[in-house]
Structures are given as C-alpha cells and as structure tokens.
Amino acid sequence: MKISVIGAGYVGLVTGGCLAAIGHEVICTDNDAAKIKTLEAGRLPIYEPGLDSVVATARKEGRLTFTANPAGAVAAGDAIFICVGTPPLPNGDADLSAIDRVARTIATEARSTKLVIEKSTVPAQTGQELQRALSVYGRKSNLSFRVASNPEFLREGTAVEDFLHPDRIVVGVEDEASERQLHEIYRPVLERKFHCFAHGGKCADGPLPEWLVTTINSAELIKHASNSFLALKISYANMVSDLAERLGANVDEVLHAVGTDPRIGKSFFRAGIGFGGFCLPKDLQAFVHLAERSGVDFSMLKEAEEINHGRIHHFMEKIKRALWVVKEKQIGVLGLAFKPNTDDIRFSPAIDLISALVSEGAHVRAYDPEAMERARASFPHLKYAESAYDAADNAEALVIATEWDQFRHLDWDRVRESMARPLILDGRNLLSAREMKAYGFEYYSVGRPD
Ligand code: UDX
C-alpha cells in the first residue's frame, strides 16, 4: 500500500520506517527541511535503538523516501498518517495548530480520496474537528476524506519493538472501509509475517497483537487514559516509597510483591525521581484539562502531577542530608536523558535535578551515553564529563539520575578510588545497596533503608 507519513519526529520516523519494513511503500515528509536533508543523507536526527537499520534497509529496498515537499507526500499516499507534534500550550491544553495546518495541506493538495489517520496524541473529539477541517479546506475539490484514529503506544528506546510486536493495535473508525484499509496496513504485524528487524530476522514467540476496533472518540480517549494511568501508577509507587522510607521498609520488595498480583502488574511500578519525557507529563496535563472542560472532576490526576513535581525536591533533601552543605561541592551526575536508551532530554527529571543542584551552588559535571549532544545544545553552560569515570573523578557525590544499564556495570573500585568522597545517591534504585556498601561506598537510594 502507498502510505504518506507527515511529521518525521520520533513517532513519524518509527511509523514510516516500520510500515516500510513490513512491506509498504512509504513517503515521509516534515516541514523541517534540515531534518529531511539529514535523513536523505542516510543519517537519523534521533537516537532510537534499531531504527537505523530499519530505515537504512527500507531505503535500500526503495520502500522509504523522504521529501521536504508536503504536497508531493500528500499526493503519493492512499493513506496518510499524521504524526506531527502536539506540544502543550501554556495552559496545559494540547496545541493542535500543526494538525490544523496538515489538514489544510491534505485538503488542498490531495487529488484522490484519502484515509487520514491521526497518530499524534490528541484530545478526544479531535477526529471530528479534523473531519470538519478537511471538508472546509477541501470544499472546492469535491473529494471525500475518511478520518481514523490510530494512537501510538511507542516507548522511546523500544519504539521499533513496540511497533512491530505490540500488545494491541487500536483503530478508531466510523466506517467499515477505513477499518478494512487499516487492517490491511497492519496485516503483517497482526499475523507476524514480515522480516523481523527487531529480532535479527526471527520474531520472538508470544501472543499475536489484539486488534481493537473502536469509535474515533474512544480511540483518542484510550491514548490519554493509558498514559495518565501509567503516570498515576508511578506516582503511587513514589508515595509508597516515601512511606517505606519513614517505616524502614524496602519499596522494591513492597512493589514487587504488590505487582505480582496480575490485577496490578509489576511493570511500570518503580519508585525514583519521577516520570518525564515528552509524553507522560504532557498527556497527563492535557487529560486534566480535557476533563475540566468536559465538567468532570478528575482531581486524582492533578494529585499525580503534584506528587511527580515533588520528587526532585524530595531527592534534593536527601542529597542535602548526605552532603550537609551542597554549595561549592563537586557532584558527578550520571544521566541526562529522561530514561535510558534514548537521547531525549525533554522534561527530563535528570535535567530538573541538575538545575536544582546548580541553583544550590553545586559544581555539577554530568555524563550520559547518548544525550550529551542534545544537552550541550540546550544547556551550553553546564559542565560535561567525558565518561562516567570522569564524572566521578574528584567528586564529593555521584548521583544516578537515569538508569542506563552501563551505569550498573562500572568498575566500582576505580570509581571509589577516584572520588573525593565515596558517596552515591541513586535516584533510580539502579544499584544494590548491599553491593555498594561492600565496595566501600556510602549509599543512599529511594524508598530503601539506608
Ligand atoms: C510513553 C508511553 O509509555 C508510551 O506508551 C506512549 O505512547 C508514549 O509515552 P515514553 O515517553 O517513551 O512512552 O516514556 P515511558 O517509558 O512511558 O517513561 C516515562 C517516564 O516514566 C520516564 O521518565 C521513566 O523513567 C519514568 N518511569 C517509568 C518511572 O519513574 N517509573 C516506572 O516504573 C516507569
């Protein structure tokens, strides 16, 4: 099938690359001409494990092209995926102006009937507005546009895997033709019949994805309801963690046992310095606003947001207790990205923590395996280390802010010897307290007995 993807950010690139990988002919466009140039030159503007080989192979086989010309992209596809950004407005609502712009482009540039699929995260009822915009802007063309919603559940760091082996594919449609077309697009994933890039050609066993057909309004609500629930779950874990600290319990043990109940589930149930990234915080805020506008008091979501905001302050108090005076102390920080396996620093708790340390007068030197370039561009005055060891060198404390796997396996004797004071503050409960103490560190983490 010929497919157009509008927006070559995280979602658009993964969607376009993977749709090409499963056999479709995909053209991807973005209004950032520099990004398209980078992609045409065979480079990726983001770090996402596995995406480079998916994109390179699809391009080599001629199934994936990039263009800076949106009109050309619109004309080429029978189905058009909208993957543009919906960043938060100052009041927390999602800014839908990019979606509106795309609707205008599609309506004016299309020369044949199109299925227009919203993949960007949008508040419920956006589909209706999109349908209306397409009719208004396209009133002279006499073409009909069908609209569908197909929310993404792509986690940064595992997005290729999530696309090719999802638990579920949700499609919000209002007519059978749209459902059939979407089913055809996803058939290779639903039947697991494609060359699996994520597993070197062989797909892992396991249940096939569920095909969930809903109305457009429900599909839009599913996306926000999923991410908001995840945010609630993390904030709940963090409150249990505070209580565990007060009562001398171990939050990891508690959450593991609680999560063993399949009704609750173990995943996404870790305490730490809070959730960040470009999706969870913004989706939570947008959902709160949507509820308010709809006259529904969903204040428990606000509570989850407040709890999350408080995490940095809570951890800073721990750092202050350990260091006594923070001012002028050299502190190494491991992690800048909002979570491991990504170079994304947007709304990163690690960055918030560094800002809090710097505003207390600490001399911070930070290191991240992938996010240094982005951090340097956004925070040029911050001091960066060459490696995790360099960050620890001469430091009076080493703070773990992102749970990269490589930080788990450092040469801890070397780290201890190079530090001015062997003190570790683990904001992600990445390490074992027992092991760190055996290595001779003073070690503090979250929700576990010191
Ligand atoms: C999220 C959703 O998970 C995904 O389904 C959606 O489509 C896009 O938004 P992502 O933004 O990549 O994905 O991040 P996610 O994996 O959800 O993590 C968000 C934040 O929560 C990270 O900062 C992470 O460190 C934190 N987190 C996660 C915790 O603090 N505790 C946990 O138990 C899990």
Side-chain angles (χ1 to χ4, degrees), residues 273-309:
I273 53 172
F275 58 82
F278 201 58
C279 291
L280 245 57
K282 127 180 127 68
D283 290 356
L284 184 63
Q285 248 186 30
F287 206 38
V288 167
H289 278 250
L290 179 71
E292 264 166 14
R293 271 205 320 276
S294 315
V296 173
D297 181 6
F298 215 154
S299 49
M300 68 193 290
L301 294 181
K302 283 195 201 155
E303 205 47 50
E305 207 177 4
E306 292 279 305
I307 292 167
N308 199 49
H309 284 150

PDB file of all heavy atoms in Angstrom, residues 273-309:
ATOM      1  N   ILE A 273      13.027   9.307  40.839  1.00  0.00           N
ATOM      2  CA  ILE A 273      12.920  10.774  40.872  1.00  0.00           C
ATOM      3  C   ILE A 273      11.802  11.257  39.950  1.00  0.00           C
ATOM      4  O   ILE A 273      11.746  12.429  39.586  1.00  0.00           O
ATOM      5  CB  ILE A 273      14.265  11.469  40.543  1.00  0.00           C
ATOM      6  CG1 ILE A 273      14.848  10.966  39.221  1.00  0.00           C
ATOM      7  CG2 ILE A 273      15.249  11.301  41.687  1.00  0.00           C
ATOM      8  CD1 ILE A 273      16.065  11.767  38.753  1.00  0.00           C
ATOM      9  N   GLY A 274      10.911  10.342  39.559  1.00  0.00           N
ATOM     10  CA  GLY A 274       9.700  10.766  38.863  1.00  0.00           C
ATOM     11  C   GLY A 274       9.724  10.501  37.373  1.00  0.00           C
ATOM     12  O   GLY A 274      10.746  10.151  36.803  1.00  0.00           O
ATOM     13  N   PHE A 275       8.550  10.693  36.772  1.00  0.00           N
ATOM     14  CA  PHE A 275       8.446  10.458  35.323  1.00  0.00           C
ATOM     15  C   PHE A 275       8.665  11.753  34.562  1.00  0.00           C
ATOM     16  O   PHE A 275       8.379  12.840  35.053  1.00  0.00           O
ATOM     17  CB  PHE A 275       7.091   9.826  34.962  1.00  0.00           C
ATOM     18  CG  PHE A 275       5.881  10.633  35.362  1.00  0.00           C
ATOM     19  CD1 PHE A 275       5.429  11.685  34.580  1.00  0.00           C
ATOM     20  CD2 PHE A 275       5.182  10.323  36.519  1.00  0.00           C
ATOM     21  CE1 PHE A 275       4.300  12.418  34.945  1.00  0.00           C
ATOM     22  CE2 PHE A 275       4.057  11.049  36.898  1.00  0.00           C
ATOM     23  CZ  PHE A 275       3.622  12.099  36.108  1.00  0.00           C
ATOM     24  N   GLY A 276       9.211  11.610  33.358  1.00  0.00           N
ATOM     25  CA  GLY A 276       9.431  12.776  32.500  1.00  0.00           C
ATOM     26  C   GLY A 276       9.196  12.385  31.062  1.00  0.00           C
ATOM     27  O   GLY A 276       8.433  11.464  30.772  1.00  0.00           O
ATOM     28  N   GLY A 277       9.878  13.083  30.163  1.00  0.00           N
ATOM     29  CA  GLY A 277       9.713  12.804  28.733  1.00  0.00           C
ATOM     30  C   GLY A 277       8.659  13.694  28.117  1.00  0.00           C
ATOM     31  O   GLY A 277       7.992  14.472  28.818  1.00  0.00           O
ATOM     32  N   PHE A 278       8.501  13.532  26.817  1.00  0.00           N
ATOM     33  CA  PHE A 278       7.604  14.439  26.118  1.00  0.00           C
ATOM     34  C   PHE A 278       6.164  13.939  26.102  1.00  0.00           C
ATOM     35  O   PHE A 278       5.280  14.638  25.633  1.00  0.00           O
ATOM     36  CB  PHE A 278       8.106  14.676  24.688  1.00  0.00           C
ATOM     37  CG  PHE A 278       7.548  15.943  24.108  1.00  0.00           C
ATOM     38  CD1 PHE A 278       7.767  17.162  24.739  1.00  0.00           C
ATOM     39  CD2 PHE A 278       6.784  15.928  22.957  1.00  0.00           C
ATOM     40  CE1 PHE A 278       7.235  18.335  24.242  1.00  0.00           C
ATOM     41  CE2 PHE A 278       6.252  17.099  22.441  1.00  0.00           C
ATOM     42  CZ  PHE A 278       6.474  18.303  23.098  1.00  0.00           C
ATOM     43  N   CYS A 279       5.924  12.722  26.608  1.00  0.00           N
ATOM     44  CA  CYS A 279       4.552  12.200  26.515  1.00  0.00           C
ATOM     45  C   CYS A 279       3.811  12.205  27.841  1.00  0.00           C
ATOM     46  O   CYS A 279       2.788  12.879  27.970  1.00  0.00           O
ATOM     47  CB  CYS A 279       4.581  10.795  25.939  1.00  0.00           C
ATOM     48  SG  CYS A 279       5.063  10.798  24.229  1.00  0.00           S
ATOM     49  N   LEU A 280       4.332  11.462  28.803  1.00  0.00           N
ATOM     50  CA  LEU A 280       3.559  11.277  30.039  1.00  0.00           C
ATOM     51  C   LEU A 280       3.150  12.603  30.697  1.00  0.00           C
ATOM     52  O   LEU A 280       1.957  12.815  30.947  1.00  0.00           O
ATOM     53  CB  LEU A 280       4.358  10.401  31.014  1.00  0.00           C
ATOM     54  CG  LEU A 280       3.729   9.047  31.318  1.00  0.00           C
ATOM     55  CD1 LEU A 280       3.494   8.247  30.058  1.00  0.00           C
ATOM     56  CD2 LEU A 280       4.561   8.268  32.304  1.00  0.00           C
ATOM     57  N   PRO A 281       4.111  13.520  30.965  1.00  0.00           N
ATOM     58  CA  PRO A 281       3.697  14.757  31.647  1.00  0.00           C
ATOM     59  C   PRO A 281       2.704  15.578  30.823  1.00  0.00           C
ATOM     60  O   PRO A 281       1.731  16.098  31.363  1.00  0.00           O
ATOM     61  CB  PRO A 281       5.020  15.523  31.814  1.00  0.00           C
ATOM     62  CG  PRO A 281       6.100  14.512  31.666  1.00  0.00           C
ATOM     63  CD  PRO A 281       5.568  13.465  30.747  1.00  0.00           C
ATOM     64  N   LYS A 282       2.939  15.629  29.520  1.00  0.00           N
ATOM     65  CA  LYS A 282       2.061  16.466  28.685  1.00  0.00           C
ATOM     66  C   LYS A 282       0.692  15.811  28.497  1.00  0.00           C
ATOM     67  O   LYS A 282      -0.335  16.496  28.531  1.00  0.00           O
ATOM     68  CB  LYS A 282       2.795  16.750  27.364  1.00  0.00           C
ATOM     69  CG  LYS A 282       2.064  16.436  26.090  1.00  0.00           C
ATOM     70  CD  LYS A 282       2.898  16.769  24.890  1.00  0.00           C
ATOM     71  CE  LYS A 282       3.036  15.610  23.928  1.00  0.00           C
ATOM     72  NZ  LYS A 282       1.907  15.172  23.209  1.00  0.00           N
ATOM     73  N   ASP A 283       0.673  14.501  28.348  1.00  0.00           N
ATOM     74  CA  ASP A 283      -0.608  13.816  28.179  1.00  0.00           C
ATOM     75  C   ASP A 283      -1.451  13.911  29.458  1.00  0.00           C
ATOM     76  O   ASP A 283      -2.669  14.058  29.408  1.00  0.00           O
ATOM     77  CB  ASP A 283      -0.399  12.344  27.812  1.00  0.00           C
ATOM     78  CG  ASP A 283       0.162  12.194  26.403  1.00  0.00           C
ATOM     79  OD1 ASP A 283       0.304  13.229  25.714  1.00  0.00           O
ATOM     80  OD2 ASP A 283       0.462  11.062  25.987  1.00  0.00           O
ATOM     81  N   LEU A 284      -0.751  13.828  30.582  1.00  0.00           N
ATOM     82  CA  LEU A 284      -1.456  13.925  31.865  1.00  0.00           C
ATOM     83  C   LEU A 284      -2.105  15.305  31.993  1.00  0.00           C
ATOM     84  O   LEU A 284      -3.291  15.427  32.325  1.00  0.00           O
ATOM     85  CB  LEU A 284      -0.441  13.698  33.002  1.00  0.00           C
ATOM     86  CG  LEU A 284      -0.977  13.655  34.415  1.00  0.00           C
ATOM     87  CD1 LEU A 284      -1.933  12.499  34.603  1.00  0.00           C
ATOM     88  CD2 LEU A 284       0.170  13.530  35.419  1.00  0.00           C
ATOM     89  N   GLN A 285      -1.321  16.327  31.667  1.00  0.00           N
ATOM     90  CA  GLN A 285      -1.837  17.702  31.748  1.00  0.00           C
ATOM     91  C   GLN A 285      -3.010  17.907  30.795  1.00  0.00           C
ATOM     92  O   GLN A 285      -4.039  18.481  31.156  1.00  0.00           O
ATOM     93  CB  GLN A 285      -0.725  18.658  31.336  1.00  0.00           C
ATOM     94  CG  GLN A 285      -0.212  19.501  32.448  1.00  0.00           C
ATOM     95  CD  GLN A 285       0.779  20.529  31.933  1.00  0.00           C
ATOM     96  OE1 GLN A 285       0.710  20.987  30.794  1.00  0.00           O
ATOM     97  NE2 GLN A 285       1.710  20.884  32.783  1.00  0.00           N
ATOM     98  N   ALA A 286      -2.849  17.409  29.579  1.00  0.00           N
ATOM     99  CA  ALA A 286      -3.905  17.584  28.579  1.00  0.00           C
ATOM    100  C   ALA A 286      -5.177  16.844  29.013  1.00  0.00           C
ATOM    101  O   ALA A 286      -6.294  17.323  28.796  1.00  0.00           O
ATOM    102  CB  ALA A 286      -3.430  17.077  27.222  1.00  0.00           C
ATOM    103  N   PHE A 287      -4.993  15.704  29.650  1.00  0.00           N
ATOM    104  CA  PHE A 287      -6.149  14.908  30.097  1.00  0.00           C
ATOM    105  C   PHE A 287      -6.889  15.639  31.224  1.00  0.00           C
ATOM    106  O   PHE A 287      -8.116  15.665  31.264  1.00  0.00           O
ATOM    107  CB  PHE A 287      -5.659  13.537  30.569  1.00  0.00           C
ATOM    108  CG  PHE A 287      -6.698  12.447  30.459  1.00  0.00           C
ATOM    109  CD1 PHE A 287      -7.578  12.393  29.397  1.00  0.00           C
ATOM    110  CD2 PHE A 287      -6.778  11.450  31.427  1.00  0.00           C
ATOM    111  CE1 PHE A 287      -8.525  11.379  29.292  1.00  0.00           C
ATOM    112  CE2 PHE A 287      -7.731  10.433  31.334  1.00  0.00           C
ATOM    113  CZ  PHE A 287      -8.605  10.409  30.268  1.00  0.00           C
ATOM    114  N   VAL A 288      -6.101  16.250  32.120  1.00  0.00           N
ATOM    115  CA  VAL A 288      -6.710  17.026  33.209  1.00  0.00           C
ATOM    116  C   VAL A 288      -7.556  18.160  32.614  1.00  0.00           C
ATOM    117  O   VAL A 288      -8.699  18.386  33.009  1.00  0.00           O
ATOM    118  CB  VAL A 288      -5.608  17.607  34.142  1.00  0.00           C
ATOM    119  CG1 VAL A 288      -6.178  18.649  35.079  1.00  0.00           C
ATOM    120  CG2 VAL A 288      -4.938  16.497  34.935  1.00  0.00           C
ATOM    121  N   HIS A 289      -6.993  18.832  31.622  1.00  0.00           N
ATOM    122  CA  HIS A 289      -7.715  19.951  31.001  1.00  0.00           C
ATOM    123  C   HIS A 289      -8.957  19.482  30.254  1.00  0.00           C
ATOM    124  O   HIS A 289      -9.991  20.126  30.299  1.00  0.00           O
ATOM    125  CB  HIS A 289      -6.789  20.738  30.076  1.00  0.00           C
ATOM    126  CG  HIS A 289      -5.969  21.707  30.842  1.00  0.00           C
ATOM    127  ND1 HIS A 289      -6.155  23.071  30.768  1.00  0.00           N
ATOM    128  CD2 HIS A 289      -5.004  21.505  31.755  1.00  0.00           C
ATOM    129  CE1 HIS A 289      -5.318  23.649  31.614  1.00  0.00           C
ATOM    130  NE2 HIS A 289      -4.595  22.724  32.211  1.00  0.00           N
ATOM    131  N   LEU A 290      -8.800  18.356  29.584  1.00  0.00           N
ATOM    132  CA  LEU A 290      -9.942  17.799  28.855  1.00  0.00           C
ATOM    133  C   LEU A 290     -11.077  17.488  29.842  1.00  0.00           C
ATOM    134  O   LEU A 290     -12.249  17.809  29.590  1.00  0.00           O
ATOM    135  CB  LEU A 290      -9.502  16.523  28.129  1.00  0.00           C
ATOM    136  CG  LEU A 290     -10.575  15.791  27.337  1.00  0.00           C
ATOM    137  CD1 LEU A 290     -10.955  16.594  26.099  1.00  0.00           C
ATOM    138  CD2 LEU A 290     -10.072  14.411  26.915  1.00  0.00           C
ATOM    139  N   ALA A 291     -10.703  16.891  30.982  1.00  0.00           N
ATOM    140  CA  ALA A 291     -11.712  16.553  31.989  1.00  0.00           C
ATOM    141  C   ALA A 291     -12.373  17.827  32.503  1.00  0.00           C
ATOM    142  O   ALA A 291     -13.599  17.903  32.607  1.00  0.00           O
ATOM    143  CB  ALA A 291     -11.055  15.777  33.137  1.00  0.00           C
ATOM    144  N   GLU A 292     -11.543  18.843  32.801  1.00  0.00           N
ATOM    145  CA  GLU A 292     -12.097  20.107  33.307  1.00  0.00           C
ATOM    146  C   GLU A 292     -13.077  20.715  32.321  1.00  0.00           C
ATOM    147  O   GLU A 292     -14.186  21.107  32.677  1.00  0.00           O
ATOM    148  CB  GLU A 292     -10.960  21.107  33.564  1.00  0.00           C
ATOM    149  CG  GLU A 292     -10.521  21.096  35.011  1.00  0.00           C
ATOM    150  CD  GLU A 292      -9.191  21.816  35.211  1.00  0.00           C
ATOM    151  OE1 GLU A 292      -8.747  22.550  34.304  1.00  0.00           O
ATOM    152  OE2 GLU A 292      -8.597  21.609  36.289  1.00  0.00           O
ATOM    153  N   ARG A 293     -12.650  20.751  31.054  1.00  0.00           N
ATOM    154  CA  ARG A 293     -13.526  21.348  30.025  1.00  0.00           C
ATOM    155  C   ARG A 293     -14.814  20.551  29.860  1.00  0.00           C
ATOM    156  O   ARG A 293     -15.838  21.088  29.491  1.00  0.00           O
ATOM    157  CB  ARG A 293     -12.786  21.399  28.672  1.00  0.00           C
ATOM    158  CG  ARG A 293     -11.979  22.665  28.473  1.00  0.00           C
ATOM    159  CD  ARG A 293     -11.801  22.964  27.001  1.00  0.00           C
ATOM    160  NE  ARG A 293     -11.551  21.791  26.180  1.00  0.00           N
ATOM    161  CZ  ARG A 293     -10.371  21.226  25.996  1.00  0.00           C
ATOM    162  NH1 ARG A 293      -9.319  21.742  26.570  1.00  0.00           N
ATOM    163  NH2 ARG A 293     -10.231  20.170  25.236  1.00  0.00           N
ATOM    164  N   SER A 294     -14.723  19.247  30.154  1.00  0.00           N
ATOM    165  CA  SER A 294     -15.909  18.400  29.996  1.00  0.00           C
ATOM    166  C   SER A 294     -16.749  18.371  31.270  1.00  0.00           C
ATOM    167  O   SER A 294     -17.704  17.601  31.367  1.00  0.00           O
ATOM    168  CB  SER A 294     -15.488  16.971  29.638  1.00  0.00           C
ATOM    169  OG  SER A 294     -14.501  16.981  28.655  1.00  0.00           O
ATOM    170  N   GLY A 295     -16.335  19.139  32.280  1.00  0.00           N
ATOM    171  CA  GLY A 295     -17.104  19.207  33.524  1.00  0.00           C
ATOM    172  C   GLY A 295     -16.920  17.997  34.413  1.00  0.00           C
ATOM    173  O   GLY A 295     -17.785  17.667  35.223  1.00  0.00           O
ATOM    174  N   VAL A 296     -15.780  17.307  34.255  1.00  0.00           N
ATOM    175  CA  VAL A 296     -15.520  16.120  35.095  1.00  0.00           C
ATOM    176  C   VAL A 296     -14.369  16.440  36.048  1.00  0.00           C
ATOM    177  O   VAL A 296     -13.313  16.898  35.622  1.00  0.00           O
ATOM    178  CB  VAL A 296     -15.159  14.902  34.209  1.00  0.00           C
ATOM    179  CG1 VAL A 296     -14.712  13.727  35.053  1.00  0.00           C
ATOM    180  CG2 VAL A 296     -16.332  14.512  33.336  1.00  0.00           C
ATOM    181  N   ASP A 297     -14.594  16.179  37.334  1.00  0.00           N
ATOM    182  CA  ASP A 297     -13.550  16.478  38.321  1.00  0.00           C
ATOM    183  C   ASP A 297     -12.603  15.278  38.447  1.00  0.00           C
ATOM    184  O   ASP A 297     -12.860  14.350  39.194  1.00  0.00           O
ATOM    185  CB  ASP A 297     -14.219  16.784  39.676  1.00  0.00           C
ATOM    186  CG  ASP A 297     -13.176  17.121  40.726  1.00  0.00           C
ATOM    187  OD1 ASP A 297     -11.982  17.218  40.370  1.00  0.00           O
ATOM    188  OD2 ASP A 297     -13.546  17.267  41.895  1.00  0.00           O
ATOM    189  N   PHE A 298     -11.513  15.328  37.705  1.00  0.00           N
ATOM    190  CA  PHE A 298     -10.544  14.213  37.703  1.00  0.00           C
ATOM    191  C   PHE A 298      -9.336  14.640  38.540  1.00  0.00           C
ATOM    192  O   PHE A 298      -8.186  14.521  38.105  1.00  0.00           O
ATOM    193  CB  PHE A 298     -10.123  13.936  36.248  1.00  0.00           C
ATOM    194  CG  PHE A 298      -9.863  12.483  35.931  1.00  0.00           C
ATOM    195  CD1 PHE A 298     -10.010  12.013  34.630  1.00  0.00           C
ATOM    196  CD2 PHE A 298      -9.453  11.588  36.897  1.00  0.00           C
ATOM    197  CE1 PHE A 298      -9.766  10.682  34.309  1.00  0.00           C
ATOM    198  CE2 PHE A 298      -9.203  10.260  36.587  1.00  0.00           C
ATOM    199  CZ  PHE A 298      -9.359   9.808  35.289  1.00  0.00           C
ATOM    200  N   SER A 299      -9.601  15.125  39.754  1.00  0.00           N
ATOM    201  CA  SER A 299      -8.517  15.750  40.517  1.00  0.00           C
ATOM    202  C   SER A 299      -7.438  14.761  40.935  1.00  0.00           C
ATOM    203  O   SER A 299      -6.326  15.154  41.258  1.00  0.00           O
ATOM    204  CB  SER A 299      -9.062  16.495  41.723  1.00  0.00           C
ATOM    205  OG  SER A 299      -9.945  15.663  42.412  1.00  0.00           O
ATOM    206  N   MET A 300      -7.745  13.446  40.910  1.00  0.00           N
ATOM    207  CA  MET A 300      -6.693  12.482  41.270  1.00  0.00           C
ATOM    208  C   MET A 300      -5.516  12.568  40.284  1.00  0.00           C
ATOM    209  O   MET A 300      -4.382  12.271  40.641  1.00  0.00           O
ATOM    210  CB  MET A 300      -7.246  11.051  41.328  1.00  0.00           C
ATOM    211  CG  MET A 300      -7.662  10.495  40.000  1.00  0.00           C
ATOM    212  SD  MET A 300      -8.633   8.990  40.134  1.00  0.00           S
ATOM    213  CE  MET A 300      -7.432   7.823  40.695  1.00  0.00           C
ATOM    214  N   LEU A 301      -5.795  13.008  39.069  1.00  0.00           N
ATOM    215  CA  LEU A 301      -4.696  13.159  38.104  1.00  0.00           C
ATOM    216  C   LEU A 301      -3.814  14.350  38.476  1.00  0.00           C
ATOM    217  O   LEU A 301      -2.601  14.317  38.304  1.00  0.00           O
ATOM    218  CB  LEU A 301      -5.235  13.333  36.680  1.00  0.00           C
ATOM    219  CG  LEU A 301      -5.975  12.143  36.079  1.00  0.00           C
ATOM    220  CD1 LEU A 301      -6.416  12.456  34.659  1.00  0.00           C
ATOM    221  CD2 LEU A 301      -5.086  10.897  36.081  1.00  0.00           C
ATOM    222  N   LYS A 302      -4.473  15.403  38.986  1.00  0.00           N
ATOM    223  CA  LYS A 302      -3.688  16.578  39.419  1.00  0.00           C
ATOM    224  C   LYS A 302      -2.773  16.187  40.564  1.00  0.00           C
ATOM    225  O   LYS A 302      -1.640  16.645  40.669  1.00  0.00           O
ATOM    226  CB  LYS A 302      -4.637  17.677  39.904  1.00  0.00           C
ATOM    227  CG  LYS A 302      -5.299  18.419  38.777  1.00  0.00           C
ATOM    228  CD  LYS A 302      -5.911  19.684  39.346  1.00  0.00           C
ATOM    229  CE  LYS A 302      -6.990  20.160  38.400  1.00  0.00           C
ATOM    230  NZ  LYS A 302      -7.986  20.963  39.051  1.00  0.00           N
ATOM    231  N   GLU A 303      -3.310  15.343  41.423  1.00  0.00           N
ATOM    232  CA  GLU A 303      -2.545  14.862  42.561  1.00  0.00           C
ATOM    233  C   GLU A 303      -1.293  14.105  42.058  1.00  0.00           C
ATOM    234  O   GLU A 303      -0.196  14.296  42.576  1.00  0.00           O
ATOM    235  CB  GLU A 303      -3.472  13.926  43.349  1.00  0.00           C
ATOM    236  CG  GLU A 303      -3.211  13.723  44.791  1.00  0.00           C
ATOM    237  CD  GLU A 303      -2.964  14.989  45.579  1.00  0.00           C
ATOM    238  OE1 GLU A 303      -3.756  15.960  45.488  1.00  0.00           O
ATOM    239  OE2 GLU A 303      -1.954  14.990  46.273  1.00  0.00           O
ATOM    240  N   ALA A 304      -1.487  13.273  41.033  1.00  0.00           N
ATOM    241  CA  ALA A 304      -0.357  12.503  40.474  1.00  0.00           C
ATOM    242  C   ALA A 304       0.702  13.454  39.927  1.00  0.00           C
ATOM    243  O   ALA A 304       1.914  13.228  40.076  1.00  0.00           O
ATOM    244  CB  ALA A 304      -0.852  11.573  39.368  1.00  0.00           C
ATOM    245  N   GLU A 305       0.236  14.528  39.323  1.00  0.00           N
ATOM    246  CA  GLU A 305       1.142  15.528  38.756  1.00  0.00           C
ATOM    247  C   GLU A 305       1.931  16.229  39.872  1.00  0.00           C
ATOM    248  O   GLU A 305       3.147  16.382  39.799  1.00  0.00           O
ATOM    249  CB  GLU A 305       0.273  16.541  38.013  1.00  0.00           C
ATOM    250  CG  GLU A 305       0.951  17.233  36.883  1.00  0.00           C
ATOM    251  CD  GLU A 305      -0.026  18.170  36.169  1.00  0.00           C
ATOM    252  OE1 GLU A 305      -1.197  18.321  36.598  1.00  0.00           O
ATOM    253  OE2 GLU A 305       0.401  18.764  35.183  1.00  0.00           O
ATOM    254  N   GLU A 306       1.192  16.631  40.921  1.00  0.00           N
ATOM    255  CA  GLU A 306       1.829  17.305  42.069  1.00  0.00           C
ATOM    256  C   GLU A 306       2.893  16.411  42.696  1.00  0.00           C
ATOM    257  O   GLU A 306       3.986  16.855  43.014  1.00  0.00           O
ATOM    258  CB  GLU A 306       0.788  17.592  43.157  1.00  0.00           C
ATOM    259  CG  GLU A 306      -0.243  18.616  42.781  1.00  0.00           C
ATOM    260  CD  GLU A 306       0.299  20.014  42.969  1.00  0.00           C
ATOM    261  OE1 GLU A 306       0.743  20.295  44.086  1.00  0.00           O
ATOM    262  OE2 GLU A 306       0.300  20.781  41.984  1.00  0.00           O
ATOM    263  N   ILE A 307       2.522  15.144  42.892  1.00  0.00           N
ATOM    264  CA  ILE A 307       3.460  14.196  43.518  1.00  0.00           C
ATOM    265  C   ILE A 307       4.729  14.133  42.666  1.00  0.00           C
ATOM    266  O   ILE A 307       5.845  14.183  43.162  1.00  0.00           O
ATOM    267  CB  ILE A 307       2.817  12.788  43.653  1.00  0.00           C
ATOM    268  CG1 ILE A 307       1.690  12.829  44.671  1.00  0.00           C
ATOM    269  CG2 ILE A 307       3.857  11.725  44.015  1.00  0.00           C
ATOM    270  CD1 ILE A 307       0.779  11.608  44.664  1.00  0.00           C
ATOM    271  N   ASN A 308       4.526  14.069  41.350  1.00  0.00           N
ATOM    272  CA  ASN A 308       5.684  13.973  40.465  1.00  0.00           C
ATOM    273  C   ASN A 308       6.570  15.216  40.569  1.00  0.00           C
ATOM    274  O   ASN A 308       7.789  15.113  40.607  1.00  0.00           O
ATOM    275  CB  ASN A 308       5.229  13.750  39.024  1.00  0.00           C
ATOM    276  CG  ASN A 308       6.341  13.207  38.169  1.00  0.00           C
ATOM    277  OD1 ASN A 308       7.003  12.244  38.539  1.00  0.00           O
ATOM    278  ND2 ASN A 308       6.581  13.843  37.039  1.00  0.00           N
ATOM    279  N   HIS A 309       5.942  16.380  40.629  1.00  0.00           N
ATOM    280  CA  HIS A 309       6.730  17.615  40.756  1.00  0.00           C
ATOM    281  C   HIS A 309       7.562  17.615  42.033  1.00  0.00           C
ATOM    282  O   HIS A 309       8.659  18.164  42.067  1.00  0.00           O
ATOM    283  CB  HIS A 309       5.813  18.845  40.752  1.00  0.00           C
ATOM    284  CG  HIS A 309       5.320  19.174  39.380  1.00  0.00           C
ATOM    285  ND1 HIS A 309       4.106  19.762  39.145  1.00  0.00           N
ATOM    286  CD2 HIS A 309       5.872  18.959  38.173  1.00  0.00           C
ATOM    287  CE1 HIS A 309       3.936  19.901  37.844  1.00  0.00           C
ATOM    288  NE2 HIS A 309       4.995  19.410  37.227  1.00  0.00           N
TER     289      HIS A 309
END
